[in-house]
Amino acid sequence: MMVISIPYPWSGYPENNSNFASIVSFKCEYVSEKILILDFGSQYTQLIARKVREHNVYCEIHPFSHFPEPDESVKGVILSGSPFSVRDENAPLPDLKGIKGKFPLLGICYGAQYLSHYYGGEVKASNSREYGRARLNFIDRENSLLKNLKSNTQVWMSHGDTINTLPSDCRIIASTGDVQVGAYASSDELTFGLQFHPEVYHTTEGKTILYNFLEDICGCAMDWTPKIFVESTVNELKRKLGDDKVVLGLSGGVDSTVASILLHRAIGPNLTCIFVDNGLLRKNEFPQVLESYKELGLNVIGVNARDKFIDDLEGISDPEEKRKSIGKNFIEVFDHEAKKLKNVNWLGQGTIYPDVIESVSVNGPSVTIKSHHNVGGLPDKMHLKVVEPLRLLFKDEVRRVGKALEIPSSFLKRHPFPGPGLGIRILGEITREKIHLVQEADDIYIKALHKFGLYDRIWQAGAILLPVQSVGVMGDERTYEYVVALRAVTSTDGMTADWGHLPHEVLSVVSNDIINKVRGINRVVYDISSKPPATIEWE
């Protein structure tokens, strides 16, 4: 059994539920070269991968304890940071016998300390700790990893332990004012260690360092572009699917849209898409998006299931229970519609790489903050194999692939929208009245962002209806109505986010319009929380 993600994102089924589909995962096999990233649980691991991808080099993240045997496509290996100390009793200990000395190897932070401590050096707790910005006051520019760096360049440190001594075959190639071993290199093999994080924004020349590693040391061709991805994926889909038929659930979002167009390019009318109206979409979204999909040439079935979803949510306030109810109903509706189709062999999904990564924990099951938006299951009677053409891509890469496919910007620039929709933007119990209120408020808000040229500067925005009412005055009358919170964040991939600094004048216009035009709301507030510690959605 395998937990699968579906492009119209839901969650809630336990992993031992017997109603999951019997599936086979589709995996593209055309990558000619790649970098392996071994994850030790660092908060920056995905950022390492994204920075490698920015150099047009394909890479994969694997838990340090479960990584594939390197083959001829592997050009190099990167070891991530970690919340652990190499001196901890339960410190991650990878088996590198098939890697070290055989492939170019770059250790970052914990990775650098591990390569030193377990191969002849020593790491100790020290008073010379560094957190945040630091300057390299010594740089060996003769070393290929650090060539072309500027003097006194800024780097980002995040470590409590310090490398006290290096293995006998290693030498220092960079230092800061406080830490002597800022970076090192082996004299006998292509093994390097960086005490700082080249992948973060605050390491100003981190991109240069990674480029040096990928191009000079690993010899990567750097030719993994959106155009190449499209051509290779379509060819691979044609080969894998042949004349088979595929059913795919559309959400109106970027991921499922791009996945559907890739599949349509490969198999044409053998793809059938299902777009479900759960009653929790934005105002007028269902008819507008359905028509747009048909204009793209897709074979789309629109399903109005609003009453089923909303009626089943009656009396439910807990966020996880709401997700379970919405997920269960989506599965039932999708299954009912899919059964009407004849000779379907595959389930198409808009799974992207963060979904894949986050389903695998470094040291067993991770702590659940909330059920993942992209996890769900399908009844076992469907017995469909799964095709996931985007499972190699991050969100920003999906948008670039969509551009290469010439998908209209109205789809590609759309803000992410949670699978449970307004179900998790209405805090507490959901009613038809509350859905109407939040749809109207959200519509005013999103239209204002477009009007003032702010929509494309924001990663995600929406209105949240709070489960409280407040006293207000309209005319000479006292009101006791709902409060709406506006949320807008800036981000690259949603893993971290900062609150959007919208002009006060714009917030004033939006607030006035909502209060004056949406009867039932008399107060508007603005959320200025970043992620972490807050999440983007409130539930």
Side-chain angles (χ1 to χ4, degrees), residues 479-537:
T479 62
Y480 190 60
E481 297 177 337
Y482 284 102
V483 179
V484 158
L486 303 181
R487 181 72 157 143
V489 298
T490 57
S491 180
T492 301
D493 53 18
M495 300 302 296
T496 61
D498 191 16
W499 60 276
H501 294 247
L502 299 182
H504 291 175
E505 295 80 3
V506 174
L507 291 174
S508 176
V509 169
V510 174
S511 176
N512 287 336
D513 282 351
I514 290 175
I515 292 171
N516 290 332
K517 296 178 181 179
V518 186
R519 189 174 182 84
I521 296 174
N522 70 355
R523 192 178 299 271
V524 176
V525 299
Y526 188 60
D527 182 350
I528 58 170
S529 309
S530 296
K531 176 187 179 181
T535 55
I536 295 176
E537 299 294 341

Side-chain angles (χ1 to χ4, degrees), residues 51 56 78 112 137 205 213 258 294 299 311 313 396 416 488 528 531:
K51 293 300 181 181
N56 294 330
I78 298 176
N137 59 9
E205 294 184 281
F213 180 70
V258 174
K294 291 179 179 178
N299 177 24
D311 289 346
L313 286 167
D396 52 332
I528 58 170
K531 176 187 179 181

